Amino acid sequence: GAGCGLPGIVCARFAERVVLTDCSDTLVDNLRYNVRLNSRRDDDDDDDADDEETGGCECDSGRFRRDLEENVSCTYLDWDAVGVDSETAPLEHQNAAECSRVENGKMFVHQPWHHCETCYPQQPAMGVCAACSESCHAGHATTAQQSTNFRCDCYDGGDACVWSKARNQNGPIEPVDIAIGAELTYCLLSTRSLVKTLLTFLKPGGVFYEVLSEDRDGVQDFVQHAEEAGFTVTSVPAPARYVGHYNTRKWSLQETEKFRFYTVKAPNSLHRTMT
């Protein structure tokens, strides 16, 4: 449930490796786009940008990662499929639309395509396939063209194409030290699947951090199943300064909802407990 990916992108500034997951193909595509949009490249360097990104703090710049694309992967994850036979319910979804070059290589194949005026203003014969027009070139000035024998030019654009790097494909998810989430426990149907997912993808001694509303269905059920699985669960009230004031109180019930920080530790975990 990474959503637009903001917490993961922040973590990626410092973490060695980050995996952003969601169970919607559209959201996974958007996650890849947002990671690329927020990734710093060598030719972007300037002092003003450095000050803006670090907030002017005197932090160790060597620990503040700017090029996120090398250490972030975005992939599909269905909790309910964890531990299920992959032939009947594949865990890592493989049916998302992808660049036509992934299947066709360098061959010219009859297909619809789009000219991207933003990327190829002086090259009307160059363009991108339908998948790349919706992901890599989202927000660009594109014009749909008639189907012709075509080979996507985006794939050869280096960093431009999210599909040209195998690390961005949906693939096996390696276990992690820390998992984070917000409001993932929202109904009784999801609690057992979430615990099973944590057992599968947390390394020994790992930890899961989550912020939850006390009014959510399934919170106590999740805590019970987690403890039965061997996790240690603690929670503390979320400080008021973290709840936020976004002019949504009329419909979000923030006047009455109470949020808590949950720390779910695997056995022998040495990670910190949220306070």
Side-chain angles (χ1 to χ4, degrees):
C4 65
L6 178 58
I9 288 171
V10 173
C11 290
R13 296 294 188 184
F14 305 94
E16 179 179 338
R17 178 174 63 93
V18 172
V19 182
L20 304 179
T21 68
D22 212 293
C23 62
S24 164
D25 292 333
T26 301
L27 290 180
V28 172
D29 285 342
N30 190 57
L31 285 169
R32 292 178 179 134
Y33 175 78
N34 287 342
V35 168
R36 189 175 77 256
L37 193 66
N38 286 276
S39 187
R40 182 73 173 276
R41 297 180 176 82
D42 292 340
D43 56 1
D44 293 335
D45 287 337
D46 65 73
D47 294 337
D48 291 339
D50 285 344
D51 291 340
E52 181 179 347
E53 287 187 354
T54 60
C57 72
E58 297 179 0
C59 57
D60 181 358
S61 60
R63 297 182 59 192
F64 188 84
R65 180 177 286 103
R66 290 166 172 77
D67 185 1
L68 306 184
E69 292 186 279
E70 291 301 323
N71 71 312
V72 179
S73 60
C74 306
T75 192
Y76 180 98
L77 174 61
D78 181 359
W79 299 349
D80 293 329
V82 175
V84 178
D85 185 353
S86 60
E87 292 185 0
T88 58
L91 175 61
E92 289 88 24
H93 191 48
Q94 300 294 334
N95 296 323
E98 59 187 10
C99 178
S100 59
R101 289 284 295 275
V102 173
E103 178 180 355
N104 301 319
K106 295 184 177 182
M107 294 189 302
F108 284 80
V109 177
H110 194 79
Q111 60 182 300
W113 59 282
H114 297 251
H115 173 66
C116 182
E117 181 67 23
T118 304
C119 297
Y120 315 115
Q122 305 298 324
Q123 300 163 299
M126 295 185 68
V128 300
C129 65
C132 287
S133 70
E134 295 180 358
S135 54
C136 314
H137 299 261
H140 291 192
T142 60
T143 304
Q145 307 294 314
Q146 292 184 348
S147 295
T148 61
N149 287 331
F150 174 76
R151 182 177 69 188
C152 183
D153 294 301
C154 177
Y155 196 83
D156 294 320
D159 289 341
C161 186
V162 300
W163 301 106
S164 64
K165 299 181 179 180
R167 59 183 167 74
N168 274 335
Q169 298 297 322
N170 292 326
I173 301 173
E174 298 296 330
V176 298
D177 298 296
I178 300 172
I180 64 173
E183 302 281 41
L184 297 181
T185 308
Y186 51 84
C187 70
L188 291 172
L189 296 176
S190 68
T191 56
R192 290 181 182 273
S193 296
L194 179 55
V195 172
K196 185 170 56 175
T197 300
L198 294 176
L199 288 169
T200 302
F201 293 114
L202 272 185
K203 290 182 180 179
V207 65
F208 171 51
Y209 296 120
E210 182 178 22
V211 58
L212 268 175
S213 166
E214 294 180 347
D215 296 333
R216 287 288 197 177
D217 290 335
V219 174
Q220 294 306 314
D221 196 57
F222 166 71
V223 171
Q224 177 183 337
H225 293 316
E227 291 177 339
E228 291 174 350
F231 291 102
T232 300
V233 183
T234 57
S235 70
V236 295
R241 66 181 181 276
Y242 293 142
V243 175
H245 304 280
Y246 304 110
N247 296 321
T248 59
R249 291 178 178 271
K250 292 182 179 179
W251 54 268
S252 68
L253 302 180
Q254 285 194 21
E255 292 283 7
T256 58
E257 274 191 304
K258 296 180 179 179
F259 293 87
R260 299 185 69 86
F261 288 154
Y262 284 79
T263 302
V264 182
K265 290 186 176 182
N268 303 316
S269 175
L270 298 179
H271 292 282
R272 294 180 178 180
T273 299
M274 286 199 293
T275 57

